[in-house]
Amino acid sequence: MNQRPSVLIIYTGGTIGMVEDPVRGTLRPFDFDHILKQVPELKAFGYHLETFSFNPIVDSSNMDPKIWIQLAEILKEHYDRFDGFVILHGTDTMAYTASALSFLLENQYKPVILTGSQLPIGKIRTDGKENLITAIEIAAKKQNGMALVPEVCIYFEYRLFRGNRTSKYSAEHFNAFHSPNYPPLAEAGIEIKFNYQSIHYPALIKDLVIHTQLDNRVGILKIFPGMSAEYAQCILHNPDIKALVMETYGAGNASTSPWFLEAIEHAIDQGKIILNVTQCSAGSVQMGRYDTSLKLLDIGVLSGHDITSEAALAKLMFVLGKETERQKQVALLQSNISGEISS
Ligand code: ASP
């Protein structure tokens, strides 16, 4: 039996996995089978590292729910053999994947850390090496035999976040992610400082259960001044859409125009679920605080509280995949399944 900490590195794709061909100057995928040779710094940990590479690799713009389920299945298959998992992923949709995995993995008690980079790992100024090295260190960390961070997280540019609280907010800076409504779970400086009060620890260790049903008949309606009735109705009354994230203003406010409220009411009468999420990058929906959100509450729009749009979409897919009865769907949507909302 291997007593060294063991981590499985799953490479899905994204910028981090690219190295520059020194002769041609072109970018080519990094050979993860030889990770210790390519990132020799990792040897100093003395960990047992194994790699699993997607083939073909996926630019994260091409991620979809089938791949999220595939990831959950890979994690389940290897769960007993490793102390932790690092998923290398493109940054563009990393927040969606992290959110989805947080719902698909039930009774999680080992770390699943997603990371990537803004510059390929083979570039001199890459942010990829630090992200990879520290993500692996966090995935392997234990205290009294238990994982230090048994959550789905994103590690990026010295900060560890709860994955379903993040959004990508910079296409340019190394600190590409933020978690506006939940504090970082750890910050890496000379030492890695863990914010223990904010990390979720399971009360009991139970077998990992994975969910494998996601229903993608969901959508987003971002409201804006001047939105036409035709546009709103086309989304709200689309028969193939079962649930919508409605991105509203401020604390969950929207137009009180009768046509708009009627269109929403009609959609809800048709059985659709509408989850109210703020367009602001921080803060929470508080339906009923203003008249402009009280009306939404009255007609049956649900509060998304302080959830991100990424987590809200993943939660809708998960809830529709898990429950068919509306009452159960609503109850699940209003509950905090995996730390994605504060209330
Ligand atoms: N387009 C890339 C991706 O998300 C960008 C990145 O890796 O950061 O896969």
Side-chain angles (χ1 to χ4, degrees), residues 14-16 58-61 89-93 117-118 168:
T15 301
I16 191 166
V58 187
D59 185 290
S60 81
S61 305
H89 193 289
T91 56
D92 290 344
T93 65
S117 66
Q118 294 282 61
K168 180 174 179 181

